[in-house]
Amino acid sequence: MTATTTDAPVLLRGATLPNGGSADVLVADGRVAAVDSCAADQSRDVETIDCAGLVLLPGLVDLHTHLRQPGKEDAETVETGTRAAAMGGFTSVHAMANSTPTADTAGVVEQVWRLGRASGWCDVHPVGAVTVGLAGQSLADLGAMADSQAKVRMFSDDGMCVHDAVLMRRALEYVKAFGGFVAQHAQEPTLTAGAQMNESELSGVLGLAGWPAVAEEAIIARDVLLAQHVESRLHICHVSTAGSVEIIRWAKERGIDVTAEVTPHHLLLTEELVRSYNPVFKVNPPLRRDEDVHALRAALADGTIDTVGTDHAPHTAETKQCEWTVAAMGMTGLETALPVVQEAMVETGLMDWAGVARVMSATPARIAGLEDQGNVEEDGTPVVGSVANLLLWDPAVRCVVDPATHTTKSRNSPYEGRELPGRTVHTFYRGRRVVADGVLAEPFRHAPVEEAR
């Protein structure tokens, strides 16, 4: 069933704010028109939504999404991926560059950007490749991508590490010219050749080649020093080890301009799941020890890790439902991100809803330079006059995860059969209710590109 929606003003009555208070919030003309006021515009029809028991959060922002298009449409498309994003409460996603062809030219990033606008479920910001073809041999045309209609500011070879120190230095220097930053996939390739899971006693028991923590930590240590040396911005993708946390904390204490993200699955799942040899648990970086999970949670709570990035990585059944050693690495995550964060961070008492608003919206928006995303006060209250990118979340329900019901095109969720808390009730994107009562409604219709310049 497809829900209907309207562009008339909407009054969100009695919503629970991230600070624990409640308010009536008026959405009109695509913006937050009033907070803590019942003074709806009486000159026009106003739709009232009873939000009792629902937490009002800013629309979520993901710095790490794989939409697969162009070239891998059998696993995901911009249309299906952004529908999944809306269902997960996201109003902005960053599409990683490892498509086919690679997003290493202005033409490809503009194609992805246009597809996002045409879909209308959330903003799509293409991530430009750092190197041509993700090959790590020569820099891509970063300036052309930055000057394109997509206005790329985030560059990453995610899936591959920029392992050459000279190339990484040049990239960090280059992006300074237009206020960009490099997002590093920290994986020293010579230490992870043939690796299949976290290097530990368990990897020996299972007979799977180990992936040592130092392969991640060595690259992070090198790159924070490079960022300091050239005075540039560095973002670390999917931090997964306690040692990485300590390096990032050390760098921040010295004023180095580094930010970091953690995935939902690294906040909840451990290497013990690999005992099943089920390839749904095969991911890059690998699931780590329980000690790492707790270190990551603590780091997210205290601000050492800045954001949660889904690393939504859809794959076809043919590439995941096969022998472990040949299976693709990656998990879907857009539709389960907030439930996992609620379980791992909120229900453990490590974070309140204002903290969730910070790490899943306000901070990633700030890192990416998105002026119309994540506009909330310190306590998570929406800013009057800001674009109405909003999520109404029911934290009280619990649902058993069934990937067959997900909106993403792929089914490789590691949470299948697991009960997780919370669900998206309404998602507002630029004032349009794109998810209504838990189902997809109508997309936002952007002006033609020529008019939007």
Side-chain angles (χ1 to χ4, degrees), residues 153-172:
R153 292 296 180 269
M154 179 176 176
F155 297 86
S156 180
D157 276 5
D158 182 62
M160 305 293 290
C161 178
V162 183
H163 59 87
D164 184 291
V166 174
L167 264 181
M168 187 62 179
R169 173 183 176 168
R170 297 294 178 239
L172 287 166

Side-chain angles (χ1 to χ4, degrees), residues 189-388:
T190 59
L191 289 173
T192 57
Q196 296 290 318
M197 66 168 293
N198 181 51
E199 183 178 276
S200 64
E201 181 179 344
L202 180 60
S203 64
V205 170
L206 299 180
L208 294 173
W211 190 306
V214 70
E216 175 175 303
E217 296 157 6
I219 293 295
I220 295 174
R222 181 201 73 177
D223 286 353
V224 296
L225 293 174
L226 285 175
Q228 179 184 45
H229 181 66
V230 303
E231 298 182 335
S232 189
R233 294 174 60 203
L234 172 70
H235 181 74
I236 307 299
C237 296
H238 43 50
V239 175
S240 71
T241 76
S244 294
V245 167
E246 291 308 310
I247 295 167
I248 294 164
R249 184 175 286 122
W250 176 91
K252 287 190 170 189
E253 288 171 351
R254 283 153 182 79
I256 299 172
D257 200 352
V258 58
T259 54
E261 72 186 25
V262 62
T263 70
H265 48 270
H266 285 115
L267 289 172
L268 190 63
L269 309 179
T270 73
E271 65 174 0
E272 284 297 316
L273 291 166
V274 182
R275 289 183 183 275
S276 68
Y277 289 100
N278 184 343
V280 76
F281 300 118
K282 187 177 181 181
V283 66
N284 181 349
L287 300 179
R288 302 288 190 179
R289 306 167 303 160
D290 186 64
E291 301 95 304
D292 295 303
V293 168
H294 287 283
L296 295 169
R297 291 181 182 181
L300 184 63
D302 70 22
T304 301
I305 293 177
D306 302 85
T307 73
V308 175
T310 69
D311 197 6
H312 174 76
H315 290 291
T316 62
E318 291 78 9
T319 58
K320 280 300 271 189
Q321 295 177 12
C322 55
E323 182 183 352
W324 176 282
T325 55
V326 297
M329 295 181 180
M331 304 166 168
T332 59
L334 284 168
E335 293 167 82
T336 51
L338 189 48
V340 171
V341 170
Q342 180 177 331
E343 178 164 313
M345 301 301 297
V346 178
E347 295 187 352
T348 57
L350 291 170
M351 184 172 283
D352 58 16
W353 288 109
V356 173
R358 182 182 72 252
V359 302
M360 296 192 74
S361 185
T363 299
R366 175 184 56 78
I367 291 170
L370 307 181
E371 296 180 357
D372 58 353
Q373 299 276 343
N375 292 319
V376 293
E377 306 289 356
E378 188 70 23
D379 65 358
T381 303
V383 173
V384 173
S386 63
V387 173

